[in-house]
Structures are given as structure tokens and as C-alpha cells.
Amino acid sequence: MTQLQPDTLIKNPQGKPLVSSVVIACSASTLWKVVGRFEGFDAFIPALARITMTGSGVGSLRNKHFHDGGIAVEQLNSRDELAMHMTWTTIYNTLGVARLWAAMSVESLGENLARATWTIIAEPVDAGGKDGFEQFIQDFADRALDNVCRLLG
């Protein structure tokens, strides 16, 4: 009998990063209070019906439930409150995403001006649909950050 070895299904996606960014007339800390809440993305993503959390801090799981019945389970990989950035990985979903890694960061551009940047690297389950998939991911992130502008603008 062959001895079992450590393995995992979690792999980082390959591909070009898709980046969405907005500049908002508010302090960086105010912006981070919105986009930096791993458990609070439903505040600016209307497609989300609710978010439930398992655990807290790095390693916690976010269960996103969408109004259309879709779900995504994501793990918080890193978080730096002072630097205002965090990363996460999708570990299960019903959305046609094979692998997804994302980062959210906020930077101060002055006393009352800040930038939020959402970077996503993702692979579709169906490799043949990559073009439409990338546009879907880009549009999703752009709409979400536009909503942040409306919330804080």
C-alpha cells in the first residue's frame, strides 16, 4: 500500500491581475472601514444577500450568499490593519470560478483623499470562456467600488 502524503486542492490561480481602483474624497481610515471589513462586503455589493463568518482574523472563512442562490466560501489569507491591505482566496463556489485570489488595499493620497484598489486573479472552471469571464470579474469589481463611491461620496 502507498503511504498517503500531504496534499491540497487549494492552488493559486494563474493569469493577469484584474485591477479596479477608485479615488474618494475621504480619509484613508474611513475608506478602509468600508472596504477593509472582510465580513462586510455586502455593504457595497448589492448582489450579496448575506455573509456569515466562521472564525475571525487571518484564516477565517467568509460564506457569501448571493440573491440568485450562488455561494462562495473564501479564506482570509493576510490582513495588515496599519498598512490597510488584505488578501483572500476562494476555496469553494457555485459561480463558475475554478480558482480566485484577491487583494484589497487602501492608500492615503492626502488629508481627505484616498484610493481603494481591488486586485483579482481568477481562472474560470471552463477555460474556453476566459474572455467573457475576465470581463465579468472586472465589471463586478468596478460596480462594487462604484458603490463605495456612492456610499462615501
Side-chain angles (χ1 to χ4, degrees), residues 38-61:
F38 189 61
E39 72 284 359
F41 275 39
D42 52 342
F44 58 92
I45 300 176
L48 285 171
R50 72 183 190 285
I51 294 174
T52 57
M53 295 294 297
T54 303
S56 63
V58 172
S60 64
L61 299 179

Side-chain angles (χ1 to χ4, degrees), residues 22-37 44 84 104-108 113-117 145 148-149 152:
V22 293
V23 174
I24 301 176
C26 69
S27 70
S29 63
T30 298
L31 182 52
W32 181 244
K33 285 177 186 170
V34 175
V35 300
R37 289 185 56 236
F44 58 92
M84 293 185 284
M104 182 69 77
S105 63
V106 170
E107 63 182 307
S108 176
L113 199 61
R115 175 183 294 124
T117 303
L145 289 185
V148 172
C149 289
L152 298 175

